[in-house]
Amino acid sequence: MDLSAINPVLLIAALIAASTPILLAGIGELVVERAGVLNLGVEGMMITGAICGFIAAHATGSASVGFLGAAVGGAGLALIFAVLSQYLLTNQVPTGLGLTLFGLGLSSLLGQDYAGIKAPTVSKIDVPLLSDIPVLGPILFNQDPIVYLGIGMTVAVWWFLYRSRRGLILRAVGENHEAAHALGYKVRLIRVGAIVFGGACAGLGGSYLSLVRVPIWTDGITAGYGWIALAIVVFAGWRPYRLMLGAYLFGGVTVLQLNLQAANVPIPAEYLSMSPYVATILVLVLMSSGRAPGSLGRAFHAST
Amino acid sequence: MTSTLLELDGLTKTYPGVVANDDVSFAIRKGEVHALLGENGAGKSTLVKSIYGLVKPDRGTMTLDGKPYEPAEPRQARAAGIAMVFQHFSLFDALNVAENIALGMENPPALRDLAKRIRDVSEQYGLPLDPSRVVGDLSAGERQRVEIIRCLLQDPKLLIMDEPTSVLTPQEVHILFETLRLLRSEGTSILYISHKLEEIRSLCEHATILRLGKVVGTCDPRATSARDMAEMMVGATLHVPEKADAAAGEVVLSIKSLSAPAPHQFGTALRDISIDVRAGEVLGIGGVAGNGQDELVAALSGEMRTRTGTISLNGTPIGRMGPNERRAAGLSAAPEERNGHAAAPDMSLTENALMTGAVPMGLVERGFLRWAKARSFAEDIIKTFDVRTPGPQNAGRSLSGGNLQKFVIGREILQRPKVLVVNQPTWGVDAAAAASIRQAILDLAADGAAVVVISQDLDELMEISDRFSALNEGRLSAPRPARGLTVEQIGLLLGGAHDMEVAHVEA
């Protein structure tokens, strides 16, 4: 056992990066659920985003185009869900599960010719001077742009939900869609918008895995991250900052346990591997969460 | 006619198979309270939704202030000065009062300024309200105030109120009417929908009566008797339930010191309830919703078990028995919520009849269902209680609220229970159906059953009860003979006006 090999600064810098895909997918799903829609297809949208982003980046050689492609891919898959659940009024649970299965299959098909190929590198933003600050520098000022995007998105979503009128309307739609309709708000349109946003975020989160974390395409690259994001949304009580905490906690324990495994800590690897899940659920449950949006998962049909 | 605010001319709206509004024309003048009367399904809701822009009429025109008025959506209606207080409150539980009000406004000011305006308006009209409270925690009367203030903040020319008093105590109704009269004196027109005719007589100057989508008459409610208006609504002579005078018999249902904790977070604890109900009598229990009605019904029906000895039926303790055992012993209950509690909306009427009638009516034999017998039991209910439906194979959901209620009550009454407990037997049921349900309850009592009727409709309780008792915060007042009780006395028994301006009440 050699714990001295673990560098706390690098660990924290790594945990922020490790949390980013979950944070992005989670913040998207949070908006979707706040609008009253339960989309269980996060995993499928993530992995579709991962492959779309990979293909776009590989074709153009530009990671930025890749991230854009990922968002479009995730949003496209989400649009299928939106049409099915909002216009054809399918039950959201099986539709979302179907979306996940479809996304996994689709990504595998699209990715056949890309297995094992390396993605174009994503350069980190190295803020001059600031990144040289000991401890804080590497943590805060030497990350890639998507990490900052994830943090920015969390703040933006918080501001949107609690400080803007559109956010208030979105929460109202999720809380009681009949009342929102009676007041003249376009429930379906608002929900479709939220679902597409959620898909784009999930796609972006997925591409962070295929372009930055792993940067090689492999089948099933998301490995359940979408499910974790879904769970964290619920345990965070549908609140953006708790979601960020949950994502960092999960990412943090994941990185830590990998470091501990590498340091040969005499705990069976199985226990270490399960620790991120247990720790995240435990902490968020203990913090006791909020109330689910009143219309979550219920189909809306304007009967007039 | 410069004094006309809104004129409707030949409004027609057809849904597949139903003409909801058929050539409806009438006019609302400035500064008048105009009543819109009609039974369920007469087309009142469709009509006001047309005015509020939620429904687009197929034909006909509306003129507002001399200009053509065709709202494509509620937003335009609000911009034109029309505001609406909904029957089922259109509020968002998880949001606070100010946020709820902001959602109903076109260009709401910043929340802080809005909070101040809410305080101002609520003081001006005697409707106290704290803008920062979460709506989910408010009482029904307070929730209604949120809706009214939301409307008032937009300085409406026309305020539409759909069944506003069904959830209020008499004192709260009194205060609401003061507010409405103040609005009228300021020149606001009010379109008032209700089926409580006495209220309309005291408040409105004009009434338009709808039946089956058509205007069948207009009248001055102040000069027309409630009975005449009811008959115009129904289109037939109204049968008023008759109460046979009978001496009360033996004590059948006895409740002694019944206390129970609140079953869930928003529930009410029952506190030390003691009462005896005799054979042949109807005990009316009044009270504002949320004062323990649901819990009392649950304790009596067996959904909520209580300590042994607190409830006894003919001397046998039944506190630990479940609903089916109690049914077998002769105690039936019909809860308030039709869809999902008293009836399963997606199941057929035959299946719904089976659910409570299985044991008492012998519809189960050695564990097997006897479908033919169940079907004929359902048919019997449909025939006896005039349930309008094509047949017992139809799903509960396909029936209108009033018809399903007739079915649910009929199902219990035909089982000839010794004790019947009903909660809100005529909630949302039209006048003719309500009269027949009340008559059936009285007939059951005349046959020697003990009946407990829990209701928020005080007129109903006065009409059918022998004794009256009020439920307030989980406590039951000592019963009083119903005959001779005044509305004021009852109001005080119910706990008066919740958080209302006491000065108004005592004045």
Side-chain angles (χ1 to χ4, degrees), chain B residues 101-120:
Chain B
I101 288 176
L103 281 165
M105 297 175 74
E106 272 329 293
N107 293 301
L111 281 180
R112 201 168 307 144
D113 303 336
L114 183 62
K116 192 182 169 306
R117 283 187 60 194
I118 292 168
R119 283 207 185 86
D120 293 347

Side-chain angles (χ1 to χ4, degrees), chain A residues 181-302:
Chain A
H181 173 72
L183 289 173
Y185 294 112
K186 296 192 165 45
V187 174
R188 270 204 303 219
L189 206 64
I190 291 164
R191 286 190 169 164
V192 170
I195 293 167
V196 169
F197 172 77
C201 285
L204 211 52
S207 67
Y208 190 78
L209 290 170
S210 64
L211 296 177
V212 182
R213 289 275 290 163
V214 183
I216 292 173
W217 173 254
T218 53
D219 250 7
I221 193 168
T222 49
Y225 270 44
W227 296 112
I228 297 295
L230 261 169
I232 289 179
V233 171
V234 177
F235 286 122
W238 295 270
R239 277 173 284 192
Y241 285 119
R242 288 199 177 189
L243 178 88
M244 187 147 97
L245 178 84
Y248 281 3
L249 191 72
F250 182 80
V253 182
T254 305
V255 174
L256 180 69
Q257 64 95 5
L258 286 175
N259 276 291
L260 290 176
Q261 283 192 32
N264 287 321
V265 173
I267 301 172
E270 289 80 4
Y271 288 105
L272 288 173
S273 301
M274 74 170 77
S275 61
Y277 304 92
V278 176
T280 307
I281 290 174
L282 210 63
V283 169
L284 290 172
V285 166
L286 286 180
M287 280 169 63
S288 119
S289 50
R291 188 175 152 278
S295 294
L296 183 62
R298 284 168 46 212
F300 172 72
H301 179 62

Side-chain angles (χ1 to χ4, degrees), chain A residues 161-163 165 168-186 291-294 303-304, chain B residues 15 49 52 54-55 73-75 78 86 89-95 98-100 102-108 111 150:
Chain A
L161 286 177
Y162 296 104
R163 287 288 177 274
R165 174 153 173 87
L168 176 62
I169 293 170
L170 183 126
R171 282 189 290 143
V173 165
E175 179 59 27
N176 183 345
H177 51 214
E178 271 117 17
H181 173 72
L183 289 173
Y185 294 112
K186 296 192 165 45
R291 188 175 152 278
S303 58
T304 52
Chain B
Y15 289 116
K49 281 179 179 168
Y52 195 60
L54 278 168
V55 167
E73 52 175 1
R75 205 162 296 196
R78 287 200 292 263
F86 291 87
F89 302 125
S90 60
L91 297 177
F92 306 93
D93 283 355
L95 308 180
E99 287 173 326
N100 266 283
L103 281 165
M105 297 175 74
E106 272 329 293
N107 293 301
L111 281 180
R150 173 154 77 186

Side-chain angles (χ1 to χ4, degrees), chain B residues 184-481:
Chain B
R184 174 174 64 190
S185 70
E186 291 171 355
T188 310
S189 306
I190 294 161
L191 182 61
Y192 190 90
I193 300 171
S194 178
H195 57 232
K196 292 192 180 168
L197 301 166
E198 288 303 331
E199 286 178 0
I200 285 174
R201 295 192 63 221
S202 78
L203 185 70
C204 307
E205 290 105 66
H206 229 97
T208 298
I209 296 149
L210 288 181
R211 190 194 321 142
L212 299 174
K214 289 194 176 97
V215 175
V216 292
T218 55
C219 66
D220 181 346
R222 290 165 302 186
T224 314
S225 76
R227 193 187 166 103
D228 287 347
M229 284 194 281
E231 284 175 1
M232 275 202 262
M233 272 160 59
V234 181
T237 314
L238 192 66
H239 170 75
V240 175
E242 282 163 31
K243 195 159 165 43
D245 270 324
E250 297 289 302
V251 171
V252 183
L253 178 71
S254 174
I255 307 172
K256 285 197 182 63
S257 322
L258 169 65
S259 295
H264 56 90
Q265 193 190 345
F266 297 110
T268 310
L270 297 176
R271 297 169 219 267
D272 198 23
I273 290 176
S274 296
I275 200 160
D276 287 339
V277 194
R278 294 171 178 277
E281 85 164 341
V282 178
L283 172 70
I285 297 181
V288 178
N291 272 296
Q293 283 91 341
D294 293 343
E295 291 77 7
L296 182 58
V297 171
L300 290 177
S301 71
E303 281 175 63
M304 186 167 85
R305 311 287 165 93
T306 53
R307 276 189 301 113
T308 182
T310 50
I311 304 176
S312 48
L313 180 68
N314 283 329
T316 319
I318 58 168
R320 303 298 308 165
M321 289 186 184
N324 279 330
E325 289 170 89
R326 294 192 195 191
R327 282 183 191 285
L331 185 149
S332 277
E336 171 183 3
E337 176 58 44
R338 294 184 274 266
N339 279 314
H341 196 176
D346 287 321
M347 295 178 95
S348 74
L349 294 180
T350 305
E351 286 165 323
N352 272 298
L354 252 171
M355 272 186 278
T356 74
V359 175
M361 299 300 288
L363 306 180
V364 180
E365 207 171 340
R366 291 192 215 101
F368 288 94
L369 302 177
R370 299 178 61 183
W371 284 108
K373 211 169 166 188
R375 200 170 301 116
S376 72
F377 175 47
E379 277 162 0
D380 200 16
I381 301 168
I382 292 169
K383 197 161 134 265
T384 315
F385 288 86
D386 187 28
V387 179
R388 312 269 164 85
T389 175
Q393 70 283 359
N394 282 58
R397 167 185 312 290
S398 70
L399 271 61
S400 74
N403 272 314
L404 188 56
Q405 185 69 10
K406 282 198 269 187
F407 185 84
V408 168
I409 301 275
R411 177 181 70 186
E412 304 309 326
I413 288 179
L414 283 190
Q415 294 173 29
R416 297 277 144 212
K418 293 184 203 129
V419 177
L420 176 66
V421 179
V422 284
N423 191 8
Q424 299 274 48
T426 61
W427 172 260
V429 173
D430 62 51
S436 71
I437 288 173
R438 287 174 196 155
Q439 185 63 58
I441 289 171
L442 289 175
D443 291 346
L444 183 72
D447 282 355
V451 183
V452 178
V453 179
I454 299 172
S455 177
Q456 285 159 52
D457 183 343
L458 295 174
D459 297 334
E460 166 171 281
L461 290 178
M462 289 304 103
E463 196 172 299
I464 62 176
S465 315
D466 296 296
R467 289 190 299 158
F468 175 86
S469 189
L471 199 55
N472 187 16
E473 292 180 358
R475 290 176 214 280
L476 193 67
S477 73
R480 297 212 201 168

Side-chain angles (χ1 to χ4, degrees), chain B residues 46-190:
Chain B
T46 307
L47 190 64
V48 294
K49 281 179 179 168
S50 301
I51 299 174
Y52 195 60
L54 278 168
V55 167
K56 196 172 156 37
D58 302 332
R59 267 200 311 281
T61 55
M62 291 186 268
T63 317
L64 184 71
D65 263 341
K67 286 186 259 336
Y69 169 65
E70 263 182 85
E73 52 175 1
R75 205 162 296 196
Q76 288 178 17
R78 287 200 292 263
I82 291 180
M84 181 159 166
V85 175
F86 291 87
Q87 179 180 9
H88 303 290
F89 302 125
S90 60
L91 297 177
F92 306 93
D93 283 355
L95 308 180
N96 70 28
V97 170
E99 287 173 326
N100 266 283
I101 288 176
L103 281 165
M105 297 175 74
E106 272 329 293
N107 293 301
L111 281 180
R112 201 168 307 144
D113 303 336
L114 183 62
K116 192 182 169 306
R117 283 187 60 194
I118 292 168
R119 283 207 185 86
D120 293 347
V121 172
S122 69
E123 269 167 39
Q124 188 186 343
Y125 290 97
L127 302 166
L129 202 57
D130 177 358
S132 63
R133 284 186 66 193
V134 173
V135 164
D137 298 335
L138 300 182
S139 73
E142 288 172 312
R143 292 165 69 99
Q144 187 182 51
R145 266 176 255 167
V146 179
E147 291 237 22
I148 294 174
I149 288 173
R150 173 154 77 186
C151 293
L152 295 184
L153 280 175
Q154 304 173 72
D155 295 321
K157 294 179 199 151
L158 175 66
L159 181 63
I160 303 172
M161 304 202 80
D162 193 356
E163 302 266 356
T165 58
S166 50
V167 291
L168 306 182
T169 63
Q171 275 80 1
E172 285 174 323
V173 170
H174 180 73
I175 291 165
L176 173 68
F177 281 12
E178 287 305 310
T179 305
L180 295 183
R181 289 194 183 106
L182 181 62
L183 279 170
R184 174 174 64 190
S185 70
E186 291 171 355
T188 310
S189 306
I190 294 161

